[in-house]
Amino acid sequence: MGREHNSSKCNLTLVLYEKQHLELEQRPVPCKPRPNEVTLATHTVGICGSDVKYWQQGKIGNFVVTKPMILGHETSAVVIDVGENVKHLKPGDKVAAEVGVPCSTCDLCRKGKYNLCEQMQFAATPPYDGTLTRYFNHPADFCFKLPEGVSLEEGALLEPLAVAVHACKRAQIKLGDTVLVSGAGAVGLLCMMTARAFGANLIVVTDVNEQRLKFAKELGADRTVVVQRNEFPQQLAARLKSEHFGGRGVDVILECSGAETSMVLAINVARTGGTIVCVGCQPDLVTIPLQIALMQEIDIKGLFRYRNCYPIALSMVESGRINLRPLITHRFKLEDATKAFELCSRGEGVKILIKCMDESQLQNDLGFNGIH
């Protein structure tokens, strides 16, 4: 995440050495930023399920931790230095960092699908370092200035919100649509809230956890349904149609659980011509009733991160259409990051934040006066 040199300044960093082996250590502070970069002082980083999975398993799919890697990618920060070509940011600006940097020259990038760039450098995805470090350099074009009224904590959550925005864009949710959200974890809740902001009329959320569903209701779900672990997906689909969707199928299903049974449910509950977006990470191989989807022209769409979604996400937060604050359930200092990961691995809380830097540390370490 940027060139480095030796420095006596404190750059505390959380490093994953191998599966289940986390260490806090000092890393060199980055050099002066390149012409189109900024140097950031990391303020807040949210823990994502992928961070926990790398910690617990050492890999996600084909991405394998083979050398020490800094974790974290849901990031807000304060600009402390700017490259000579950077005009839209200045020291003291609060920003949300979009931490996937594409090549910008391949066919996919030129077509605007930069999230699919095969040369993408995405934070905390092997072999690239993440942002649970106090200082790093980053391209200025991927830093979004936070307006007054949007906090640095909310700025860190723009990253998972961007996933939800991309999901709803892929689903082409429109005014009056009915939506089923499978899974009431953090991303599922964000998808629910974003679907509402996109104009969805009736939103039903399913999960096996009653407490999560209670929270989903508090955040605006029209209805919630507890999934019984011994209930076949086909039976649940029939129950959902009968009890919640007027005997008809659902316009859009946002599958956020990553469970194979939820994909079977999605196909059985979708209306003819409906849309399923696979937000959650599915197993490598799944068994689904594909013929039903084919004969009913149900669109099944994949989702990989996001593209061009930060401005929309930021606008929804600034305007009040999305309130991220209730999702924040725990806060830890960087020095206590391991405790934060342990809490997250137990399935406790919704969004767990790690604070890497506060304003007093900025002033003490850098002689920096004020955050704009």
Side-chain angles (χ1 to χ4, degrees), residues 15-243:
V15 182
L16 175 66
Y17 273 81
E18 58 185 358
K19 181 172 63 175
Q20 299 180 353
H21 181 188
L22 286 174
E23 286 193 20
L24 281 166
E25 62 182 50
Q26 293 293 339
R27 288 287 182 97
V29 174
C31 290
K32 186 171 180 62
R34 293 186 175 96
N36 295 311
E37 289 182 337
V38 293
T39 299
L40 298 176
T42 310
H43 187 276
T44 301
V45 177
I47 298 180
C48 175
S50 66
D51 295 314
V52 176
K53 202 162 187 178
Y54 280 125
W55 169 50
Q56 291 183 326
Q57 302 180 14
K59 65 177 183 178
I60 298 177
N62 294 326
F63 296 108
V64 181
V65 178
T66 59
K67 64 177 183 178
M69 180 181 76
I70 302 171
L71 289 172
H73 59 269
E74 299 177 1
T75 309
S76 67
V78 177
V79 177
I80 58 172
D81 197 6
V82 300
E84 59 187 37
N85 294 340
V86 178
K87 307 301 180 185
H88 68 289
L89 295 172
K90 61 184 181 300
D93 283 344
K94 301 183 299 179
V95 298
E98 181 175 346
V99 294
V101 182
C103 74
S104 300
T105 59
C106 69
D107 288 343
L108 287 166
C109 285
R110 289 201 297 267
K111 291 175 181 177
K113 298 182 178 182
Y114 67 85
N115 61 313
L116 304 178
C117 173
E118 293 182 356
Q119 300 177 61
M120 172 69 75
Q121 298 181 27
F122 198 89
T125 299
Y128 304 107
D129 280 330
T131 59
L132 274 167
T133 183
R134 283 189 172 152
Y135 306 103
F136 67 99
N137 287 346
H138 198 62
D141 286 345
F142 288 88
C143 294
F144 297 86
K145 185 176 178 180
L146 301 179
E148 291 297 324
V150 178
S151 70
L152 283 157
E153 288 190 341
E154 292 170 303
L157 296 187
L158 289 186
E159 200 277 342
L161 180 56
V163 173
V165 170
H166 190 39
C168 291
K169 288 174 67 177
R170 293 278 286 158
Q172 298 181 316
I173 292 175
K174 60 186 182 299
L175 192 66
D177 276 347
T178 57
V179 175
L180 176 69
V181 178
S182 296
V187 172
L189 294 172
L190 287 167
C191 282
M192 176 199 74
M193 297 163 73
T194 305
R196 177 73 73 206
F198 271 53
N201 178 41
L202 173 64
I203 303 176
V204 177
V205 182
T206 62
D207 202 288
V208 297
N209 187 312
E210 292 189 45
Q211 195 61 36
R212 286 183 178 180
L213 291 176
K214 181 181 177 182
F215 192 44
K217 192 77 172 178
E218 293 172 358
L219 291 178
D222 294 303
R223 302 173 189 176
T224 60
V225 176
V226 179
V227 177
Q228 304 300 328
R229 295 186 183 274
N230 60 349
E231 188 172 20
F232 289 109
Q234 296 86 347
Q235 293 174 323
L236 178 57
R239 180 159 67 97
L240 288 168
K241 287 180 181 180
S242 173
E243 297 178 5

